[in-house]
């Protein structure tokens, strides 16, 4: 069996790797396509670096439009040439669905999209548009299949891989604290994102937040787990911060060693200040209370704010149907608003614990690994095609 996969950012790389592992456990399979280091570790040779696609927001995409269009055409041609049994596109809809459209125009290759569009949040018309080029959707959240099925696509809820990831235990958490001299100190994770654009935008804001937080908590230790593609950028941007953070990077470390240290770091943390996105689920899985903050370019903010259909973008709030996690998005992403919330979460971490546990239960914790569920759904879909 030959599978062509496309992922365009770190969260998609994680989803793709889990799916690939699931497929390998069920059948003989060959992988081709575009992905990141986690997918490459599962056997994918990426046709070009995945981070070329890691852009977000309308204004951010415009300067790279010509290059992205060239990559879209090249990738679609590669899919058609490879003649896979299935094309699986993972998130990154601006890129992936354009590839799928070109593939469908010239072939009858089965198309699967992993991660349902958030039509319950904004741009509800995307489902019908997507149904023209996608046959089957793998959904991360249990409330999504009806939206996709109503538009004419097959859809399976497969859960989120975050619930199956290995967590650090108390001994590993303590060992992390001892290794870095953090005994008897509060630890704040700061997570400004995995894309270069968002890291550049959020790091100065987060630095200003820390000026107020450190003034009230001078013994607080700040830790930044980062990704290889933004490590050097983060190192440059934190030079002006009021505190020297401990930066954890996969650069010059094995995959297993870095993931183990990152897991221990999450478990050891008292709280986190994070960009909006999948990381909120990673934090919930480790029972780490959080504050979410995110901003974008002025143009993207003006357009998106007028299209939102929900009052929160934080996944823990949405899945648990609560509003326990404070968030500061767009015009509210200001240091003077964020800092008091960070201090409050450090003082009252218990207020988020029920919502985080409920989130994990609803995403499939305790059941079959989501990557394996996704693999079974793909194979079942091919049999009924």
């Amino acid at each position: 069996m030959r599978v062509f996969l496309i992922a365009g950012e770190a969260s998609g790389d994680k989803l793709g790797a889990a799916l690939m592992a699931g497929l390998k456990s069920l059948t003989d399979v060959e992988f081709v396509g575009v992905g990141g280091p986690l997918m490459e570790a599962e056997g994918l040779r990426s046709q070009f670096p995945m981070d070329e696609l890691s852009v977000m927001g309308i204004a951010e995409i415009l300067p790279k439009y010509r290059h992205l269009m060239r990559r879209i055409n090249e990738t679609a041609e590669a899919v058609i040439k490879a003649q896979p049994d299935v094309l699986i596109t993972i998130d990154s809809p601006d890129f992936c669905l354009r590839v799928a459209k070109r593939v469908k125009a010239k072939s009858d290759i089965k198309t699967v999209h992993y991660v349902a569009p958030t039509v319950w949040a904004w741009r509800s018309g995307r489902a019908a548009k997507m149904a023209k080029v996608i046959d089957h959707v793998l959904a991360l959240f249990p409330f999504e299949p009806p939206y996709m099925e109503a538009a004419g696509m097959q859809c399976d809820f497969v859960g989120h891989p975050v619930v199956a990831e290995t967590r650090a235990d108390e001994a590993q958490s303590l060992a992390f604290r001892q290794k870095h001299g953090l005994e008897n100190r509060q630890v704040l994770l700061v997570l400004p994102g995995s894309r270069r654009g968002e890291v550049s935008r959020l790091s100065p804001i987060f630095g200003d937040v820390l000026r107020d937080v450190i003034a009230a908590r001078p013994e607080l230790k700040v830790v930044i787990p980062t990704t290889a593609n933004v490590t050097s950028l983060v190192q440059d941007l934190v030079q002006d911060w009021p505190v020297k953070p401990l930066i954890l990077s996969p650069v010059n470390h094995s995959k297993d060693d870095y993931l183990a240290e990152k897991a221990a770091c999450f478990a050891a943390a008292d709280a986190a200040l994070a960009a909006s996105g999948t990381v909120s689920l990673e934090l919930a899985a480790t029972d780490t209370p959080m504050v979410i903050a995110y901003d974008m370019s002025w143009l993207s903010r003006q357009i998106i704010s007028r299209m939102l259909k929900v009052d929160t973008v934080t996944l823990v709030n949405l899945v648990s149907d609560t509003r326990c996690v404070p968030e500061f998005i767009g015009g509210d992403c200001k240091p003077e608003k964020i800092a008091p919330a960070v201090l409050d979460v450090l003082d009252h971490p218990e207020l988020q614990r029920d919502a985080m546990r409920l989130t994990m239960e609803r995403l499939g914790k305790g059941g079959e690994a989501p990557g394996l569920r996704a693999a079974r759904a793909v194979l079942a879909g091919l049999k009924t095609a």
Side-chain angles (χ1 to χ4, degrees):
M1 177 181 176
R2 177 177 293 174
V3 178
F4 198 109
L5 301 108
I6 304 171
E9 54 189 294
S11 59
D13 187 38
K14 184 180 295 185
L15 290 169
L19 170 59
M20 291 168 69
L23 287 169
K24 289 194 296 184
S25 73
L26 297 174
T27 189
D28 292 328
V29 59
E30 171 191 358
F31 300 114
V32 291
V34 179
L38 298 181
M39 292 171 67
E40 289 177 333
E42 292 293 340
L44 177 76
R45 178 173 293 180
S46 188
Q47 298 201 352
F48 53 84
M50 183 190 72
D51 61 7
E52 289 188 19
L53 310 182
S54 297
V55 293
M56 185 176 183
I58 297 166
E60 290 80 1
I61 290 173
L62 289 176
K64 298 184 177 182
Y65 180 78
R66 291 173 65 87
H67 177 72
L68 287 172
M69 290 304 297
R70 182 167 64 252
R71 285 302 196 195
I72 287 168
N73 291 328
E74 290 174 358
T75 305
E77 290 170 5
V79 176
I80 295 168
K81 182 178 179 180
Q83 284 297 298
D85 295 281
V86 60
L87 165 64
I88 303 177
T89 55
I90 307 170
D91 213 353
S92 302
D94 289 325
F95 184 88
C96 287
L97 298 185
R98 285 177 170 83
V99 171
K101 179 179 179 179
R102 286 158 174 76
V103 169
K104 277 296 189 182
K106 296 183 178 180
S107 75
D108 58 357
I109 294 171
K110 174 88 171 185
T111 54
V112 176
H113 191 68
Y114 197 171
V115 182
T118 54
V119 296
W120 38 268
W122 69 308
R123 291 174 58 198
S124 57
R126 285 176 292 167
K129 184 177 180 180
M130 182 172 158
K132 297 177 181 179
V133 299
I134 296 296
D135 302 306
H136 186 187
V137 179
L138 306 178
L140 302 186
F141 303 112
F143 51 79
E144 293 179 318
Y147 292 95
M148 302 298 100
E149 292 165 353
M153 293 171 283
Q154 179 183 352
C155 185
D156 290 294
F157 164 61
V158 298
H160 198 292
V162 72
V163 302
E165 292 177 356
T166 302
R167 302 297 163 202
D169 58 25
E170 186 174 348
Q172 292 167 318
S173 170
L174 178 60
F176 178 86
R177 281 180 167 269
Q178 291 174 337
K179 175 183 177 181
H180 297 289
L182 304 177
E183 301 98 324
N184 302 317
R185 297 179 67 176
Q186 283 190 309
V187 175
L188 177 70
L189 294 186
V190 175
L191 301 148
S194 59
R195 306 178 186 91
R196 295 183 65 85
E198 65 187 3
V199 170
S200 296
R201 187 176 303 110
L202 293 177
S203 290
I205 298 172
F206 286 6
D208 287 340
V209 170
L210 290 174
R211 294 184 195 282
D212 292 339
V213 172
I214 295 298
R217 297 285 197 286
E219 296 301 313
L220 184 73
K221 183 64 177 181
V222 175
V223 182
I224 307 178
T226 188
T227 55
N229 65 306
V230 297
T231 293
S232 60
L233 178 62
V234 168
Q235 291 170 336
D236 290 340
L237 290 171
V238 302
Q239 295 299 313
D240 294 330
W241 282 16
V243 60
K244 183 178 180 180
L246 168 63
I247 299 175
L248 304 181
S249 170
V251 176
N252 299 323
H253 292 84
S254 72
K255 171 190 171 185
D256 290 342
D257 286 347
Y258 174 70
L259 292 178
E261 184 166 47
K262 179 182 175 183
C265 167
F266 272 55
D270 293 285
L273 169 60
S276 176
T278 307
V279 71
S280 68
L281 299 181
E282 295 182 54
L283 293 165
T286 57
D287 203 28
T288 307
M290 69 201 82
V291 173
I292 299 299
Y294 197 85
D295 200 6
M296 57 207 78
S297 72
W298 181 87
L299 177 59
S300 295
R301 187 198 301 175
Q302 297 305 308
I303 295 173
I304 293 173
S305 65
R306 287 166 170 76
M307 301 173 74
L308 276 177
K309 298 164 61 179
V310 292
D311 64 345
T312 178
V313 297
T314 299
L315 293 171
V316 173
N317 287 341
L318 289 165
V319 176
S320 66
D321 196 24
T322 68
R323 298 298 182 266
C324 291
V325 177
E327 65 175 40
F328 301 89
I329 309 298
D332 289 326
C333 187
K334 298 182 182 300
E336 62 271 22
K337 293 185 176 183
I338 302 168
V342 172
L343 291 169
D344 188 58
V345 170
L346 285 167
D347 287 338
H348 303 288
E350 71 283 356
L351 297 180
Q352 295 184 23
R353 296 239 155 86
D354 287 343
M356 292 190 291
R357 282 193 288 270
L358 180 58
T359 296
M360 292 299 105
E361 290 173 8
R362 289 181 173 175
L363 293 183
K365 184 177 181 179
E368 189 173 64
L372 182 57
R373 292 175 64 178
R376 292 192 194 281
V378 168
L379 295 176
L382 289 175
K383 289 179 180 179
T384 59

